[in-house]
């Protein structure tokens, strides 16, 4: 009986870790609703192989829809629960572009973070560059040129800053 209770506790903890930080924001799933402020934002599902986009609907919440790969780089990404790992312009078929980005936390306790690895040369990667915001505060960062991978964490909406 104790063993069963322990397994249930471990399973409950795993579910809690993979859920978004805010109860108001359901975990993205194909066909599920997404808030209007997520319009055209993409996310990566656990496992890293499947992607969704929040398709806007006028005057109401949108819908999460599957995205076929490869796709054009997106200028908006949602990270939630487990981190999402994306590819940059140092990789074929990048998920996002290099440049200035802002991560907006979706609740006051969330800390947005990014771990970036760039390409130095053929078969050679630079050391990881870690960026982390403060709880409830936006994080501004440069998505590095020749980006190989970036792991985005926190319950955050990431947006590429528009150059004027």
């Amino acid at each position: 009986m104790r063993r069963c209770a322990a397994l249930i506790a471990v399973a409950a903890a795993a579910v809690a870790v993979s859920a978004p930080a805010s109860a108001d924001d359901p975990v993205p799933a194909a066909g599920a609703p997404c808030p209007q402020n997520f319009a055209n934002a993409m996310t990566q599902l656990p496992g890293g192989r499947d992607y969704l986009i929040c398709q806007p609907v006028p005057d109401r919440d949108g819908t999460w829809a599957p995205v076929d790969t490869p796709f054009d780089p997106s200028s908006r990404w949602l990270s939630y629960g487990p981190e999402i790992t994306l590819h940059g312009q140092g990789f074929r078929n990048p998920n996002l572009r290099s440049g200035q980005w802002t991560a907006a936390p979706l609740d006051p306790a969330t800390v947005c973070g990014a771990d970036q690895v760039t390409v130095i040369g053929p078969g050679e990667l630079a050391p990881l560059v870690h960026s982390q915001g403060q709880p409830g505060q936006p994080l501004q960062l440069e998505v590095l040129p020749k980006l190989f991978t970036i792991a985005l964490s926190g319950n955050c909406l990431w947006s590429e800053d528009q150059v004027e």
Side-chain angles (χ1 to χ4, degrees):
M1 187 65 156
R2 285 188 189 149
R3 185 174 172 188
C4 184
L7 288 174
I8 291 171
V10 169
V15 169
V17 168
S18 66
S22 172
D24 296 336
D25 299 319
V27 173
C34 52
Q36 286 181 337
N37 63 321
F38 289 4
N40 298 312
M42 291 186 67
T43 195
Q44 183 183 58
L45 295 176
R49 300 183 82 130
D50 297 312
Y51 299 88
L52 299 175
I53 188 167
C54 179
Q55 292 185 327
V57 177
D59 300 322
R60 61 184 175 98
D61 286 346
T63 303
W64 287 112
V67 177
D68 292 329
T69 57
F71 49 83
D72 289 336
S74 179
S75 61
R76 300 183 78 212
W77 285 91
L78 173 68
S79 60
Y80 65 95
E83 66 186 23
I84 63 172
T85 301
L86 305 174
H87 297 287
Q89 291 175 286
F91 197 89
R92 198 174 96 182
N93 301 320
N95 303 130
L96 74 170
R97 288 179 289 275
S98 298
Q100 295 299 313
W101 284 70
T102 300
L106 299 177
D107 64 68
T110 290
V111 174
C112 301
D115 290 332
Q116 302 184 66
V117 177
T118 59
V119 175
I120 294 175
E124 187 177 1
L125 300 176
L128 181 137
V129 175
H130 178 74
S131 303
Q132 183 172 315
Q134 297 296 315
Q137 298 298 312
L139 170 65
Q140 294 184 326
L141 77 150
E142 179 185 7
V143 172
L144 300 170
K146 298 183 182 177
L147 181 71
F148 186 65
T149 61
I150 185 168
L152 305 177
S153 61
N155 190 23
C156 303
L157 186 59
W158 301 78
S159 299
E160 183 177 19
D161 296 346
Q162 300 303 315
V163 179
E164 295 181 21

